[in-house]
Amino acid sequence: MKVLSGLTLAATLLIPSFANAHTPLFSCYDMGDGTIECEGGFSNGSSASGVKVFIKDASGAEIKNAALDENSYITISKPDGAYTVTMDAGEGHAVIVKSEDITE
Amino acid sequence: MKKALLSSLGLAACVLCTAPAHAHFMMTYTPETYMQKAENADFRLVFTHPTEAGSVMDMGGVQEFYAMHKRGDNLKKTDMKKYLKDITWANPGSKAPAYAATIPAKEIRSMGDHVFVLIPGYYLEKEEDVYMQQISKLILNVGGAPTSWNEPVGLPTEIVPMIKPYALWTGNIFQGQVLSKGKPVANAEIEVEYMSNMPNMATNTMPKESSVDYKNPSLVTQTIFADENGVFSFGIPKAGWWGFAALGVGPDTEYKGKGLSQDAVIWVQANDIK
């Protein structure tokens, strides 16, 4: 009985976090040293730490994937040619940044 | 005829007599408080009466001008004083030294809140023989991620917003808490002004023409009070820039042997729903 109450409480506590509006946010900058730095976040202030990031070439083939660090950042080597960087925070929560939009 | 002229002169004089001294506001201004992606941000720091483009005063130099930004749990302070340039700001009938700064996009490119802080020098209000120092905050958001907009910076005195000051609709209630040395200031007196004469960044002036017809001098500078927790509320009636100045709330009360009013100022920008 006690276990069930605990579970119910846990479920109740979790519900509001799912109900929050949280638009994924993602931006990348060319650091001018052969790397690009990207940072993720959510419009409700949630951390994007651990969220997967995919770097793909112009054909859509994956070059690399990694996860955002504890500060929701990642630094990656700048690929040759055109590429995209995708922050994939789950269904309906992917943000794609194109290389032509990545400036210093 | 002569009598009528004298009477009207008397009336004019009387009207001037009763006109209240407009509120002094340390203006920390940049045209937009929200940027989708960081761009160079043009700032003007002017000590003036922004409503009705009143007198411009010498703020006594700048002690500090910086921005706080939070990355994860790490709070970073970036000095922005190095970008300041001396200018003269001119309103109709008054001009004084002020500052301009172009903050490079690279300084604010990280998503989130960039809390700009201006700690000016001291201004001697000769009529009252007291000094004034208005510690001013303006929060610029990049990319829509909220980070530290609602956290105290740790200033001697400050207004901590309780609603994002860069994400206000016309008609929203702006709420803030007045702090002195981190503690709420019960019943703090706050003056509120609307920037009805928008700054011209190209000429460093404010126009004579106001966007508001003030029918009553008490509407030029509204006075409100905080509650016992230092929290105040103000319904925003019009899109644009609103300044809030909590008067004499800072811990310092004396400068160079004279009284000092150490005030906390915050600027917010409201948008119409279109």
Side-chain angles (χ1 to χ4, degrees), chain A residues 43-60:
Chain A
S43 59
N44 65 353
S46 298
S47 166
S49 175
V51 171
K52 274 279 181 122
V53 169
F54 297 89
I55 300 106
K56 296 174 182 175
D57 67 17
S59 72

Side-chain angles (χ1 to χ4, degrees), chain A residues 16-102:
Chain A
S17 68
F18 289 123
N20 283 345
H22 56 296
T23 306
L25 305 164
F26 191 53
S27 73
C28 297
Y29 295 94
D30 189 328
M31 301 303 284
D33 60 358
T35 66
I36 58 168
E37 187 178 81
C38 300
E39 59 178 325
F42 293 94
S43 59
N44 65 353
S46 298
S47 166
S49 175
V51 171
K52 274 279 181 122
V53 169
F54 297 89
I55 300 106
K56 296 174 182 175
D57 67 17
S59 72
E62 186 178 313
I63 300 169
K64 189 186 169 184
N65 71 71
L68 295 173
D69 71 12
E70 69 275 16
N71 290 327
S72 308
Y73 271 78
I74 191 169
T75 302
I76 44 187
S77 301
K78 190 177 165 180
D80 294 328
Y83 60 95
T84 62
V85 188
T86 302
M87 177 177 101
D88 189 353
E91 198 174 343
H93 286 97
V95 186
I96 303 170
V97 178
K98 294 177 180 170
S99 53
E100 61 257 39
D101 297 324
I102 300 175

Side-chain angles (χ1 to χ4, degrees), chain B residues 126-185:
Chain B
K126 288 187 184 118
E127 285 168 20
E128 295 175 41
D129 200 33
V130 293
Y131 280 98
M132 290 182 72
Q133 184 190 38
Q134 291 202 328
I135 298 172
S136 178
K137 273 166 69 172
L138 177 140
I139 301 172
L140 172 68
N141 180 269
V142 174
T147 47
S148 63
W149 63 275
N150 57 343
E151 295 175 14
V153 172
L155 297 166
T157 184
E158 64 185 299
I159 294 173
V160 180
M162 298 167 76
I163 178 170
K164 290 170 194 158
Y166 49 83
L168 289 165
W169 291 120
T170 308
N172 270 160
I173 304 293
F174 177 73
Q175 279 197 309
Q177 187 179 36
V178 182
L179 300 181
S180 177
K181 291 175 94 174
K183 299 272 183 348
V185 182

Side-chain angles (χ1 to χ4, degrees), chain B residues 170-206:
Chain B
T170 308
N172 270 160
I173 304 293
F174 177 73
Q175 279 197 309
Q177 187 179 36
V178 182
L179 300 181
S180 177
K181 291 175 94 174
K183 299 272 183 348
V185 182
N187 311 315
E189 180 181 351
I190 298 127
E191 289 188 330
V192 187
E193 285 205 0
Y194 180 66
M195 207 185 280
S196 52
N197 302 55
M198 286 300 289
N200 183 324
M201 304 286 274
T203 56
N204 293 326
T205 61
M206 280 179 167

Side-chain angles (χ1 to χ4, degrees), chain B residues 251-274:
Chain B
D252 295 349
T253 56
E254 207 179 290
Y255 179 71
K256 285 192 176 172
K258 293 184 193 292
L260 167 68
S261 179
Q262 197 176 39
D263 308 339
V265 171
I266 192 166
W267 285 94
V268 310
Q269 190 178 25
N271 307 278
D272 279 334
I273 294 184
K274 288 178 184 166

